[in-house]
Amino acid sequence: MQLLDGVLVSAHIKEQIKQEVTDWQAQGGKKPHLAAILVGNNPASEAYVGSKVKHCDELGFDSTLLRFPADITEAQLIAEVVRLNNDDNIDGILVQLPLPDHISGDSVINAINPAKDVDGFHPISVGKMVLGQPTFLPATPYGIMLMLEYYQINTAGMNCVVIGRSNIVGTPMTLLMSRNTNPGNATVTMAHSKTKNLKELCLNADIIVAAIGRPKYVTADMVKPGAIVIDVGINRIPDATKKSGSRLVGDVDFDGVAPLCSYITPVPGGVGLMTICGLMKNTLLAAKLRTNAVRGAALAQSN
Ligand code: NDP
């Protein structure tokens, strides 16, 4: 069994991003600037946003964190998004999900300028992804593809089961794994809570991507020997041996499943770190595309 090591791969990709930022600035480009919107004070959301802002610092990006109380109205939040759309200094906008129940996540995401949609959740970004056109890919599936690429895992022709069909993980993951790319070219089954024969499907899978949100749900009796297992889940469970009284586990029963696998991601230290890489790569790309568009327009005007 080989660990798909998010610490190792993300460090490698972050070095590449840092170098690209340095080169970009040497060519007169400005620092990429990410704006993050956080509504309310959900501890998990606070931690995710905090980590994204910290990574901006580490990689030489600018960042702006906008915090709003949980009772902000949908109209007010959309007005903030529009303000960021119109702020030339901002290259990427992310709205940390979930939002409070009285706000439609779809409406807020739809208000983001697709040129700044570094989470890849806007319908234009999703549509381009479906059509195989260049776009911002959703950060978690993008990060998983980067990890498979790093380990040069050839997934062509493999049977892949993605468990979960959310817009942010399961659905885009299903799509990316089935595209005519490498990694990709897998035969993909997307499973969800109404799937009847999950165990049989998984036992036939060369790759399982678990994005369920249920601690240790995928157990050894569901995994074919030699399979590749990608664990997206981040679940906090009680653990009296920890000072905090809890610890993070994935959607896969790592101890039971790992000995069977050819490759497996740990939690923590796996997909979560790759998600950050996906977001940062998107933000750098957004900065470059926006600047080049402005330069192109200026050039066209001067001709
Ligand atoms: P959602 O709750 O949006 O989706 C969960 C999916 O799992 C749903 O499609 C649901 O089916 C399916 N599901 C639930 N129970 C079962 C079951 N018993 N059998 C089969 N399918 C089931 O979660 P997300 O996609 O947002 O996140 C999934 C997990 O990944 C969470 O633990 C989350 O914290 C983590 N996560 C980690 C990230 C990272 O960077 N590592 C990033 C994003 C999420 P149905 O549609 O029928 O309800």
Short mmCIF file of all heavy atoms in Angstrom, two decimals, residues 48 139-141 144 162-171 190-195 198 210-215 217 231-235 249-251 267 270-276, ligand 1:
data_model
loop_
_atom_site.label_atom_id
_atom_site.label_comp_id
_atom_site.label_asym_id
_atom_site.label_seq_id
_atom_site.Cartn_x
_atom_site.Cartn_y
_atom_site.Cartn_z
N TYR A 48 -11.69 26.78 7.74
CA TYR A 48 -11.38 26.66 6.31
C TYR A 48 -10.95 28.00 5.73
O TYR A 48 -9.95 28.09 5.01
CB TYR A 48 -12.59 26.13 5.53
CG TYR A 48 -12.98 24.71 5.88
CD1 TYR A 48 -14.32 24.31 5.96
CD2 TYR A 48 -12.01 23.74 6.13
CE1 TYR A 48 -14.67 23.01 6.28
CE2 TYR A 48 -12.35 22.43 6.45
CZ TYR A 48 -13.68 22.08 6.53
OH TYR A 48 -14.04 20.79 6.85
N ALA A 139 -12.42 23.18 -6.56
CA ALA A 139 -11.10 22.97 -5.95
C ALA A 139 -10.84 21.54 -5.46
O ALA A 139 -9.72 21.04 -5.62
CB ALA A 139 -10.92 23.96 -4.80
N THR A 140 -11.84 20.90 -4.87
CA THR A 140 -11.57 19.56 -4.31
C THR A 140 -11.34 18.52 -5.41
O THR A 140 -10.30 17.83 -5.41
CB THR A 140 -12.70 19.14 -3.34
OG1 THR A 140 -12.76 20.12 -2.29
CG2 THR A 140 -12.44 17.78 -2.73
N PRO A 141 -12.26 18.39 -6.38
CA PRO A 141 -11.97 17.43 -7.45
C PRO A 141 -10.70 17.80 -8.23
O PRO A 141 -9.93 16.91 -8.60
CB PRO A 141 -13.20 17.55 -8.37
CG PRO A 141 -14.27 18.12 -7.52
CD PRO A 141 -13.60 18.98 -6.50
N ILE A 144 -7.80 16.56 -6.31
CA ILE A 144 -7.67 15.09 -6.41
C ILE A 144 -7.02 14.72 -7.75
O ILE A 144 -6.15 13.85 -7.81
CB ILE A 144 -9.05 14.41 -6.25
CG1 ILE A 144 -9.58 14.63 -4.83
CG2 ILE A 144 -8.97 12.92 -6.57
CD1 ILE A 144 -11.03 14.22 -4.62
N VAL A 162 -17.79 6.90 -7.47
CA VAL A 162 -17.79 8.11 -6.65
C VAL A 162 -19.00 8.04 -5.75
O VAL A 162 -20.13 7.91 -6.24
CB VAL A 162 -17.86 9.38 -7.55
CG1 VAL A 162 -17.96 10.64 -6.69
CG2 VAL A 162 -16.65 9.46 -8.48
N ILE A 163 -18.78 8.08 -4.45
CA ILE A 163 -19.92 8.03 -3.52
C ILE A 163 -20.21 9.46 -3.08
O ILE A 163 -19.38 10.09 -2.40
CB ILE A 163 -19.65 7.13 -2.31
CG1 ILE A 163 -18.98 5.83 -2.72
CG2 ILE A 163 -20.97 6.85 -1.57
CD1 ILE A 163 -18.57 4.94 -1.54
N GLY A 164 -21.37 9.95 -3.46
CA GLY A 164 -21.76 11.34 -3.18
C GLY A 164 -22.01 12.06 -4.49
O GLY A 164 -21.33 11.80 -5.49
N ARG A 165 -23.00 12.96 -4.50
CA ARG A 165 -23.36 13.66 -5.74
C ARG A 165 -23.52 15.16 -5.51
O ARG A 165 -24.32 15.82 -6.17
CB ARG A 165 -24.63 13.07 -6.33
CG ARG A 165 -25.82 13.13 -5.39
CD ARG A 165 -27.08 12.61 -6.05
NE ARG A 165 -28.09 12.27 -5.05
CZ ARG A 165 -29.25 11.69 -5.32
NH1 ARG A 165 -29.54 11.35 -6.56
NH2 ARG A 165 -30.11 11.42 -4.36
N SER A 166 -22.80 15.69 -4.50
CA SER A 166 -22.92 17.13 -4.25
C SER A 166 -22.33 17.91 -5.41
O SER A 166 -21.52 17.40 -6.18
CB SER A 166 -22.20 17.51 -2.95
OG SER A 166 -20.80 17.42 -3.13
N ASN A 167 -22.77 19.19 -5.50
CA ASN A 167 -22.27 20.05 -6.57
C ASN A 167 -20.79 20.37 -6.39
O ASN A 167 -20.10 20.69 -7.35
CB ASN A 167 -23.04 21.37 -6.60
CG ASN A 167 -24.45 21.17 -7.10
OD1 ASN A 167 -24.75 20.14 -7.70
ND2 ASN A 167 -25.32 22.13 -6.84
N ILE A 168 -20.31 20.30 -5.14
CA ILE A 168 -18.93 20.73 -4.92
C ILE A 168 -17.93 19.58 -4.99
O ILE A 168 -16.76 19.81 -5.26
CB ILE A 168 -18.77 21.54 -3.60
CG1 ILE A 168 -19.04 20.68 -2.37
CG2 ILE A 168 -19.66 22.75 -3.59
CD1 ILE A 168 -18.62 21.40 -1.09
N VAL A 169 -18.38 18.36 -4.76
CA VAL A 169 -17.43 17.24 -4.82
C VAL A 169 -17.90 16.12 -5.77
O VAL A 169 -17.31 15.90 -6.82
CB VAL A 169 -17.13 16.63 -3.43
CG1 VAL A 169 -15.96 15.65 -3.53
CG2 VAL A 169 -16.83 17.67 -2.37
N GLY A 170 -18.96 15.41 -5.38
CA GLY A 170 -19.32 14.17 -6.08
C GLY A 170 -19.60 14.37 -7.57
O GLY A 170 -19.05 13.65 -8.42
N THR A 171 -20.43 15.35 -7.89
CA THR A 171 -20.80 15.53 -9.30
C THR A 171 -19.60 15.95 -10.16
O THR A 171 -19.33 15.30 -11.18
CB THR A 171 -22.00 16.51 -9.42
OG1 THR A 171 -23.13 15.88 -8.80
CG2 THR A 171 -22.34 16.82 -10.87
N MET A 190 -21.77 7.01 -10.26
CA MET A 190 -21.98 7.96 -9.16
C MET A 190 -23.05 7.40 -8.21
O MET A 190 -24.19 7.18 -8.61
CB MET A 190 -22.42 9.32 -9.71
CG MET A 190 -22.59 10.36 -8.62
SD MET A 190 -22.58 12.04 -9.28
CE MET A 190 -24.06 12.04 -10.27
N ALA A 191 -22.66 7.16 -6.98
CA ALA A 191 -23.59 6.58 -6.01
C ALA A 191 -24.06 7.65 -5.03
O ALA A 191 -23.42 8.69 -4.87
CB ALA A 191 -22.89 5.46 -5.24
N HIS A 192 -25.19 7.41 -4.39
CA HIS A 192 -25.77 8.38 -3.45
C HIS A 192 -26.62 7.64 -2.43
O HIS A 192 -26.60 6.38 -2.41
CB HIS A 192 -26.59 9.44 -4.21
CG HIS A 192 -27.47 8.83 -5.25
ND1 HIS A 192 -28.62 8.18 -4.94
CD2 HIS A 192 -27.31 8.72 -6.60
CE1 HIS A 192 -29.18 7.71 -6.04
NE2 HIS A 192 -28.39 8.01 -7.06
N SER A 193 -27.36 8.37 -1.64
CA SER A 193 -28.04 7.71 -0.52
C SER A 193 -29.15 6.75 -0.97
O SER A 193 -29.59 5.91 -0.19
CB SER A 193 -28.61 8.75 0.44
OG SER A 193 -29.65 9.47 -0.18
N LYS A 194 -29.61 6.86 -2.21
CA LYS A 194 -30.65 5.95 -2.69
C LYS A 194 -30.07 4.76 -3.45
O LYS A 194 -30.82 3.90 -3.92
CB LYS A 194 -31.63 6.70 -3.61
CG LYS A 194 -32.19 8.01 -3.06
CD LYS A 194 -33.12 7.80 -1.88
CE LYS A 194 -33.76 9.10 -1.42
NZ LYS A 194 -32.81 10.09 -0.92
N THR A 195 -28.77 4.71 -3.58
CA THR A 195 -28.13 3.59 -4.29
C THR A 195 -28.36 2.31 -3.50
O THR A 195 -28.15 2.28 -2.28
CB THR A 195 -26.62 3.87 -4.45
OG1 THR A 195 -26.47 5.04 -5.24
CG2 THR A 195 -25.89 2.71 -5.11
N LEU A 198 -24.58 -0.57 -3.05
CA LEU A 198 -23.30 0.15 -2.93
C LEU A 198 -22.12 -0.79 -2.70
O LEU A 198 -21.06 -0.65 -3.32
CB LEU A 198 -23.40 1.19 -1.80
CG LEU A 198 -22.17 2.09 -1.65
CD1 LEU A 198 -21.96 2.93 -2.89
CD2 LEU A 198 -22.31 2.99 -0.42
N ALA A 210 -14.70 8.61 -1.92
CA ALA A 210 -15.74 8.69 -0.89
C ALA A 210 -15.96 10.15 -0.48
O ALA A 210 -15.08 10.77 0.09
CB ALA A 210 -15.36 7.84 0.31
N ALA A 211 -17.14 10.68 -0.81
CA ALA A 211 -17.48 12.07 -0.45
C ALA A 211 -18.88 12.06 0.12
O ALA A 211 -19.84 12.54 -0.49
CB ALA A 211 -17.38 12.98 -1.68
N ILE A 212 -19.01 11.48 1.30
CA ILE A 212 -20.32 11.15 1.87
C ILE A 212 -20.64 12.03 3.08
O ILE A 212 -21.78 12.44 3.28
CB ILE A 212 -20.31 9.66 2.33
CG1 ILE A 212 -19.70 8.75 1.27
CG2 ILE A 212 -21.72 9.20 2.66
CD1 ILE A 212 -19.33 7.36 1.76
N GLY A 213 -19.63 12.26 3.90
CA GLY A 213 -19.87 13.00 5.14
C GLY A 213 -20.33 12.09 6.27
O GLY A 213 -21.06 12.51 7.17
N ARG A 214 -19.90 10.81 6.21
CA ARG A 214 -20.23 9.86 7.28
C ARG A 214 -18.94 9.17 7.74
O ARG A 214 -18.29 8.50 6.92
CB ARG A 214 -21.21 8.80 6.78
CG ARG A 214 -22.56 9.38 6.50
CD ARG A 214 -23.50 8.31 6.01
NE ARG A 214 -24.82 8.90 5.83
CZ ARG A 214 -25.92 8.45 6.42
NH1 ARG A 214 -25.87 7.40 7.19
NH2 ARG A 214 -27.07 9.05 6.22
N PRO A 215 -18.61 9.31 9.02
CA PRO A 215 -17.33 8.79 9.48
C PRO A 215 -17.16 7.29 9.24
O PRO A 215 -18.06 6.52 9.55
CB PRO A 215 -17.32 9.12 10.99
CG PRO A 215 -18.67 9.65 11.32
CD PRO A 215 -19.38 9.98 10.05
N TYR A 217 -17.41 5.25 6.82
CA TYR A 217 -18.53 4.55 6.20
C TYR A 217 -18.06 3.43 5.27
O TYR A 217 -18.69 2.38 5.16
CB TYR A 217 -19.40 5.55 5.44
CG TYR A 217 -20.72 5.00 5.00
CD1 TYR A 217 -21.78 4.92 5.89
CD2 TYR A 217 -20.91 4.54 3.70
CE1 TYR A 217 -23.00 4.41 5.50
CE2 TYR A 217 -22.12 4.02 3.29
CZ TYR A 217 -23.16 3.96 4.20
OH TYR A 217 -24.37 3.45 3.82
N ASP A 231 -10.24 9.46 -0.05
CA ASP A 231 -11.16 9.79 1.04
C ASP A 231 -11.31 11.30 1.15
O ASP A 231 -10.39 12.00 1.58
CB ASP A 231 -10.60 9.21 2.35
CG ASP A 231 -11.60 9.27 3.49
OD1 ASP A 231 -12.66 9.89 3.31
OD2 ASP A 231 -11.30 8.70 4.56
N VAL A 232 -12.48 11.80 0.75
CA VAL A 232 -12.71 13.25 0.78
C VAL A 232 -13.26 13.68 2.14
O VAL A 232 -13.10 14.83 2.55
CB VAL A 232 -13.70 13.65 -0.35
CG1 VAL A 232 -13.92 15.15 -0.38
CG2 VAL A 232 -13.19 13.19 -1.71
N GLY A 233 -13.87 12.77 2.85
CA GLY A 233 -14.61 13.12 4.07
C GLY A 233 -13.77 13.80 5.14
O GLY A 233 -12.59 13.49 5.32
N ILE A 234 -14.39 14.75 5.80
CA ILE A 234 -13.79 15.37 6.99
C ILE A 234 -14.87 15.34 8.07
O ILE A 234 -15.85 16.08 7.98
CB ILE A 234 -13.36 16.82 6.73
CG1 ILE A 234 -12.34 16.89 5.58
CG2 ILE A 234 -12.76 17.45 7.99
CD1 ILE A 234 -11.89 18.31 5.23
N ASN A 235 -14.72 14.45 9.02
CA ASN A 235 -15.73 14.29 10.08
C ASN A 235 -15.06 14.37 11.44
O ASN A 235 -14.00 13.78 11.64
CB ASN A 235 -16.41 12.92 9.97
CG ASN A 235 -16.88 12.62 8.55
OD1 ASN A 235 -17.85 13.20 8.09
ND2 ASN A 235 -16.20 11.71 7.86
N VAL A 249 -11.74 12.31 11.25
CA VAL A 249 -11.62 11.06 10.48
C VAL A 249 -12.31 11.26 9.13
O VAL A 249 -13.12 12.17 8.96
CB VAL A 249 -12.26 9.84 11.19
CG1 VAL A 249 -11.55 9.52 12.49
CG2 VAL A 249 -13.75 10.04 11.41
N GLY A 250 -11.97 10.39 8.19
CA GLY A 250 -12.57 10.49 6.87
C GLY A 250 -13.85 9.68 6.76
O GLY A 250 -14.41 9.23 7.76
N ASP A 251 -14.28 9.48 5.51
CA ASP A 251 -15.45 8.65 5.23
C ASP A 251 -15.06 7.19 5.08
O ASP A 251 -15.91 6.34 4.83
CB ASP A 251 -16.12 9.13 3.93
CG ASP A 251 -16.82 10.47 4.10
OD1 ASP A 251 -17.05 10.88 5.25
OD2 ASP A 251 -17.15 11.10 3.07
N VAL A 267 -6.66 10.88 6.24
CA VAL A 267 -7.39 12.05 6.76
C VAL A 267 -6.99 12.23 8.21
O VAL A 267 -7.17 11.28 9.00
CB VAL A 267 -8.93 11.86 6.67
CG1 VAL A 267 -9.65 13.06 7.29
CG2 VAL A 267 -9.39 11.64 5.26
N GLY A 270 -4.54 14.47 3.50
CA GLY A 270 -4.78 13.98 2.14
C GLY A 270 -5.44 15.03 1.26
O GLY A 270 -4.83 16.04 0.91
N VAL A 271 -6.73 14.78 0.97
CA VAL A 271 -7.45 15.60 -0.01
C VAL A 271 -7.60 17.06 0.44
O VAL A 271 -7.57 17.98 -0.38
CB VAL A 271 -8.84 14.97 -0.28
CG1 VAL A 271 -9.71 15.87 -1.13
CG2 VAL A 271 -8.68 13.61 -0.94
N GLY A 272 -7.77 17.29 1.75
CA GLY A 272 -7.99 18.66 2.24
C GLY A 272 -6.87 19.60 1.79
O GLY A 272 -7.14 20.73 1.35
N LEU A 273 -5.64 19.14 1.87
CA LEU A 273 -4.50 19.98 1.48
C LEU A 273 -4.49 20.22 -0.02
O LEU A 273 -4.08 21.29 -0.49
CB LEU A 273 -3.19 19.32 1.92
CG LEU A 273 -3.04 19.13 3.42
CD1 LEU A 273 -1.87 18.20 3.74
CD2 LEU A 273 -2.84 20.48 4.10
N MET A 274 -4.96 19.23 -0.76
CA MET A 274 -5.01 19.37 -2.22
C MET A 274 -6.08 20.37 -2.65
O MET A 274 -5.96 21.05 -3.66
CB MET A 274 -5.28 18.01 -2.88
CG MET A 274 -4.22 16.96 -2.61
SD MET A 274 -2.56 17.54 -2.98
CE MET A 274 -2.70 17.93 -4.71
N THR A 275 -7.15 20.45 -1.86
CA THR A 275 -8.23 21.40 -2.15
C THR A 275 -7.67 22.83 -2.15
O THR A 275 -7.99 23.65 -3.02
CB THR A 275 -9.35 21.25 -1.10
OG1 THR A 275 -9.91 19.94 -1.24
CG2 THR A 275 -10.45 22.27 -1.28
N ILE A 276 -6.84 23.12 -1.17
CA ILE A 276 -6.23 24.45 -1.08
C ILE A 276 -5.39 24.72 -2.34
O ILE A 276 -5.42 25.81 -2.90
CB ILE A 276 -5.33 24.55 0.18
CG1 ILE A 276 -6.17 24.41 1.44
CG2 ILE A 276 -4.53 25.83 0.17
CD1 ILE A 276 -6.72 25.70 1.97
P1 NDP B 1 -23.00 16.57 1.00
O1 NDP B 1 -23.65 16.33 2.30
O2 NDP B 1 -23.38 17.74 0.18
O3 NDP B 1 -23.16 15.27 0.08
C1 NDP B 1 -23.02 13.99 0.60
C2 NDP B 1 -23.38 13.00 -0.45
O4 NDP B 1 -23.26 11.70 0.10
C3 NDP B 1 -24.83 13.13 -0.95
O5 NDP B 1 -24.87 13.04 -2.36
C4 NDP B 1 -25.55 11.95 -0.30
O6 NDP B 1 -26.59 11.40 -1.10
C5 NDP B 1 -24.43 10.94 -0.21
N1 NDP B 1 -24.69 9.98 0.85
C6 NDP B 1 -25.07 10.23 2.13
N2 NDP B 1 -25.26 9.08 2.80
C7 NDP B 1 -25.00 8.09 1.91
C8 NDP B 1 -25.01 6.68 1.99
N3 NDP B 1 -25.36 6.05 3.12
N4 NDP B 1 -24.69 5.96 0.90
C9 NDP B 1 -24.35 6.57 -0.25
N5 NDP B 1 -24.32 7.92 -0.39
C10 NDP B 1 -24.64 8.66 0.68
O7 NDP B 1 -21.44 16.58 1.32
P2 NDP B 1 -20.19 17.18 0.50
O8 NDP B 1 -20.11 16.57 -0.84
O9 NDP B 1 -20.16 18.64 0.63
O10 NDP B 1 -19.00 16.62 1.42
C11 NDP B 1 -18.79 15.25 1.62
C12 NDP B 1 -17.71 15.06 2.66
O11 NDP B 1 -16.49 15.64 2.18
C13 NDP B 1 -17.96 15.76 4.00
O12 NDP B 1 -17.37 14.99 5.02
C14 NDP B 1 -17.23 17.08 3.88
O13 NDP B 1 -16.83 17.60 5.12
C15 NDP B 1 -16.04 16.66 3.08
N6 NDP B 1 -15.42 17.69 2.27
C16 NDP B 1 -14.06 17.71 2.26
C17 NDP B 1 -13.39 18.60 1.48
C18 NDP B 1 -11.91 18.54 1.48
O14 NDP B 1 -11.28 19.48 1.05
N7 NDP B 1 -11.32 17.43 1.93
C19 NDP B 1 -14.09 19.60 0.67
C20 NDP B 1 -15.53 19.45 0.68
C21 NDP B 1 -16.15 18.53 1.48
P3 NDP B 1 -27.94 12.21 -1.43
O15 NDP B 1 -27.57 13.18 -2.52
O16 NDP B 1 -28.88 11.18 -1.88
O17 NDP B 1 -28.35 12.92 -0.16
#
